[in-house]
C-alpha cells in the first residue's frame, strides 16, 4: 500500500526529466531495471482527466522516458501502462503512466504482455 496521496509530495530531486506537462521518476518499487513513472504536473486522478494538451504531451513524455531508460539500460521491449481506478489497481490517485522495460527471458512466456493483468485471461 502506498503511503503518499500524490506524487507532488515527493522531493524534486527524484525527478529525472520533464516535459511541458509531465515529470519523470524511477519507480520506487521497480518491476524491472529502468521502470519509470511519467507523472502529470497538475493533479489529475487518471488518464481520463488529462486535458487534450496534456494527452498530446504524453507522447513526448513517453519518448523522453524511453530515451532516458536506454541511456542506462538495454531493454529488449517495453510495456506501457496506466491503472485507472481502484479496481484496476491504482493506489496513488494522481495520473501516472508506467514505462516498464522488458528484457528477453525476464519471464517464461511474455506472449500477451499487458493482457496478464488478469492472469487467467492473459494467454490466448
Amino acid at each position: 500500500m502506498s503511503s503518499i496521496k500524490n506524487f507532488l509530495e515527493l522531493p524534486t530531486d527524484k525527478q529525472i526529466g520533464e516535459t511541458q506537462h509531465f515529470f519523470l521518476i524511477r519507480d520506487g518499487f521497480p518491476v524491472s531495471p529502468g521502470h519509470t513513472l511519467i507523472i502529470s504536473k497538475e493533479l489529475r486522478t487518471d488518464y481520463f482527466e488529462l486535458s487534450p494538451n496534456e494527452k498530446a504531451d504524453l507522447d513526448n513524455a513517453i519518448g523522453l522516458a524511453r530515451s532516458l531508460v536506454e541511456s542506462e539500460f538495454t531493454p529488449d521491449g517495453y510495456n506501457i501502462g496506466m491503472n485507472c481506478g481502484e479496481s484496476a489497481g491504482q493506489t496513488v490517485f494522481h495520473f501516472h503512466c508506467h514505462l516498464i522495460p522488458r528484457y528477453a527471458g525476464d519471464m517464461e512466456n511474455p506472449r500477451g504482455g499487458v493482457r496478464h493483468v488478469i492472469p487467467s485471461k492473459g494467454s490466448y
Side-chain angles (χ1 to χ4, degrees):
M1 183 124 207
S2 174
S3 61
I4 63 170
K5 292 184 184 208
N6 69 68
F7 293 104
L8 299 175
E9 298 174 14
L10 297 175
T12 56
D13 66 357
K14 298 277 187 194
Q15 296 179 16
I16 60 171
E18 67 176 328
T19 63
Q20 182 179 3
H21 295 287
F22 300 94
F23 62 91
L24 287 61
I25 64 170
R26 293 284 189 238
D27 193 291
F29 305 95
V31 298
S32 70
H35 182 169
T36 301
L37 297 181
I38 300 158
I39 301 164
S40 60
K41 290 180 178 176
E42 296 293 324
L43 192 55
R44 309 277 190 239
T45 301
D46 61 29
Y47 174 80
F48 300 108
E49 287 194 354
L50 295 178
S51 72
N53 287 339
E54 289 168 327
K55 287 178 180 174
D57 189 42
L58 181 57
D59 189 53
N60 298 326
I62 292 170
L64 175 60
R66 179 182 179 209
S67 69
L68 291 170
V69 167
E70 293 184 355
S71 71
E72 291 185 56
F73 306 96
T74 53
D76 300 298
Y78 291 93
N79 291 113
I80 301 170
M82 304 170 215
N83 302 323
C84 302
E86 188 171 356
S87 62
Q90 187 173 10
T91 57
V92 178
F93 295 89
H94 177 182
F95 172 80
H96 58 288
C97 173
H98 295 259
L99 181 71
I100 302 173
R102 298 299 304 271
Y103 300 89
D106 66 2
M107 66 181 294
E108 187 174 325
N109 181 8
R111 182 184 166 117
V114 298
R115 294 176 52 89
H116 291 282
V117 296
I118 300 176
S120 65
K121 299 192 176 193
S123 297
Y124 57 95

